[in-house]
Amino acid sequence: MHVADADIESSVGQPSQVTLKTAFTVCFAVLAVAVFAVLIVKTEAALILTGLAALFAMALDHLVSLLVQRARFKRSSAIAVVLATVLVVLTALALIVIPAAITQGEALANEAPELIEKVRTSRFFKLVDQRFDVLNQLQRKDQNPAGLASGALPPLLEAVTGAFSLVGATITVIFLMVFMLVFGPGLVQRILSQALPERRPRYERVLEKVYSATGGYLSGLTLICSINALLTSTCLAVLGMPFFLPLGIASGFSSLVPYAGPIVAGGFVTLLTLATAGAWKALLVFVYFVLYGVTEGNVLAPLVFRRTVHVNPLLTLFAVVFFGELAGIIGAVMAVPLMATAQIILRELLLIRREKLGDRVPVP
């Protein structure tokens, strides 16, 4: 007891380990985190546009690097060639596909009220409505004051505002992408030159892994979207669907959201087929989307997500749900590259910790 009392007295008599400098450091760290969180919330749109521009720039930079290494182009000439090629390809696709897609899209929009009424009066919808009370829930949403306030705005003004916003966002992304291609590598090298010499190789390795994973993901995702659009358009055209082209393009874009996108697109196209072409063709469309979903989920998606970004499908789905909640469809599209980047950084941090603990492991 006397020894314990002596230990307590000695510990009480010792000066506190928490200094004024430590207290200021902790307060400053908390304030910095709070400011950073507020900055992210306030600049959400700018961050989304910058992220999209960075993804496009990384995808095109792989082509630029290929021309520089294989064809011995200067980087400025390679950038010009890649941008010109992309512009020509997009223009050709626009001239071939967009006019027909717009025509069919206008016809679909004109027939939308009639199609909605057919869906509401169908036997399938009546069964679903009896089970889940869908109509009453939709009517409650329509009676929401916020919804009524937003609906009071003239549709023409909403359309004009949305068009200007889309054009402005597109121009911003294009300029950001071009500037990233031109000045991005030099800026990264100047930032790396400020790091300590012994830490610079580690930073370069992390950036190289992120660059390779993102580029592989984007190239594979482009292939998946193209396959989806081509197969879906062909299937709907063979079945005689009147709006096969815009529906096929929309289905292709749905693959930008891994796993969840094709399911939503398949359900929508199946219901639309049920309203326009009958139950048998709707059943065939449903079977097609099931077969394609199995193929994409078990063949195409693993080829992209496991071999390029090395992200587990479960983590991919979590990332899609989380970032989709934060930033909508754009967040869901950027979920996989962000998860891959976080995974790479976490692995490096764990490697640093193991090295500090003395468990030396070979660097991959």
Side-chain angles (χ1 to χ4, degrees):
M1 291 294 294
H2 295 291
V3 176
D5 293 340
D7 291 339
I8 293 174
E9 291 177 359
S10 62
S11 62
V12 172
Q14 289 179 355
S16 176
Q17 299 295 326
V18 180
T19 62
L20 186 61
K21 180 179 179 181
T22 304
F24 273 116
T25 303
V26 172
C27 292
F28 179 78
V30 173
L31 180 62
V33 171
V35 171
F36 183 70
V38 173
L39 183 64
I40 290 178
V41 173
K42 295 294 184 181
T43 59
E44 179 183 354
L47 290 175
I48 291 174
L49 295 180
T50 303
L52 285 176
L55 288 178
F56 293 145
M58 284 188 186
L60 296 181
D61 191 70
H62 282 75
L63 299 177
V64 172
S65 300
L66 186 64
L67 289 178
V68 171
Q69 296 172 3
R70 300 288 180 86
R72 304 298 180 185
F73 275 67
K74 293 183 179 179
R75 182 170 177 85
S76 57
S77 302
I79 292 174
V81 169
V82 168
L83 291 178
T85 303
V86 171
L87 181 61
V88 170
V89 171
L90 291 179
T91 303
L93 289 176
L95 293 176
I96 296 173
V97 176
I98 288 181
I102 289 177
T103 301
Q104 295 185 13
E106 290 178 349
L108 178 60
N110 292 331
E111 296 184 17
E114 182 180 353
L115 295 176
I116 293 174
E117 186 62 28
K118 286 183 179 179
V119 171
R120 290 180 58 181
T121 56
S122 65
R123 182 181 303 176
F124 175 77
F125 185 83
K126 288 181 179 179
L127 291 175
V128 174
D129 183 51
Q130 290 177 0
R131 180 68 178 82
F132 299 103
D133 199 17
V134 178
L135 286 177
N136 287 335
Q137 294 182 13
L138 292 176
Q139 290 175 359
R140 290 173 187 172
K141 288 186 177 181
D142 289 339
Q143 293 172 359
N144 188 4
L148 293 175
S150 61
L153 191 65
L156 180 60
L157 182 59
E158 285 187 351
V160 172
T161 304
F164 275 109
S165 299
L166 180 61
V167 171
T170 303
I171 294 175
T172 302
V173 169
I174 291 174
F175 273 94
L176 284 174
M177 179 187 68
V178 173
F179 274 76
M180 287 179 182
L181 280 174
V182 176
F183 303 107
L187 178 61
V188 172
Q189 291 300 323
R190 282 193 291 272
I191 293 175
L192 289 175
S193 65
Q194 304 300 316
L196 295 175
E198 62 270 17
R199 296 182 180 179
R200 193 178 305 161
R202 185 185 298 276
Y203 296 153
E204 291 176 350
R205 185 172 66 250
V206 171
L207 290 176
E208 180 63 28
K209 288 181 179 180
V210 172
Y211 175 78
S212 300
T214 305
Y217 167 75
L218 291 174
S219 59
L221 190 61
T222 302
L223 177 62
I224 289 178
C225 292
S226 302
I227 292 174
N228 188 351
L230 179 61
L231 292 180
T232 303
S233 299
T234 303
C235 175
L236 296 179
V238 170
L239 292 176
M241 282 290 292
F243 316 113
F244 66 90
L245 196 53
L247 294 178
I249 294 174
S251 178
F253 278 111
S254 71
S255 292
L256 290 172
V257 181
Y259 303 112
I263 295 176
V264 176
F268 172 76
V269 176
T270 301
L271 288 177
L272 189 60
T273 307
L274 179 65
T276 57
W280 286 109
K281 289 187 177 181
L283 179 61
L284 292 176
V285 171
F286 176 76
V287 171
Y288 160 76
F289 275 104
V290 169
L291 294 176
Y292 176 79
V294 171
T295 303
E296 181 175 309
N298 294 290
V299 179
L300 297 177
L303 185 66
V304 173
F305 303 142
R306 294 177 189 170
R307 296 188 180 182
T308 58
V309 296
H310 306 286
V311 177
N312 186 276
L314 182 59
L315 292 178
T316 299
L317 189 57
F318 282 155
V320 169
V321 173
F322 180 77
F323 288 106
E325 180 67 23
L326 286 179
I329 296 178
I330 302 299
V333 172
M334 299 172 62
V336 177
L338 292 175
M339 178 59 72
T341 302
Q343 185 173 271
I344 291 170
I345 295 175
L346 180 60
R347 285 175 179 172
E348 289 296 326
L349 292 176
L350 292 176
L351 181 60
I352 293 174
R353 179 175 176 80
R354 292 166 62 184
E355 290 176 353
K356 288 182 178 180
L357 293 175
D359 184 14
R360 300 290 179 176
V361 293
V363 178

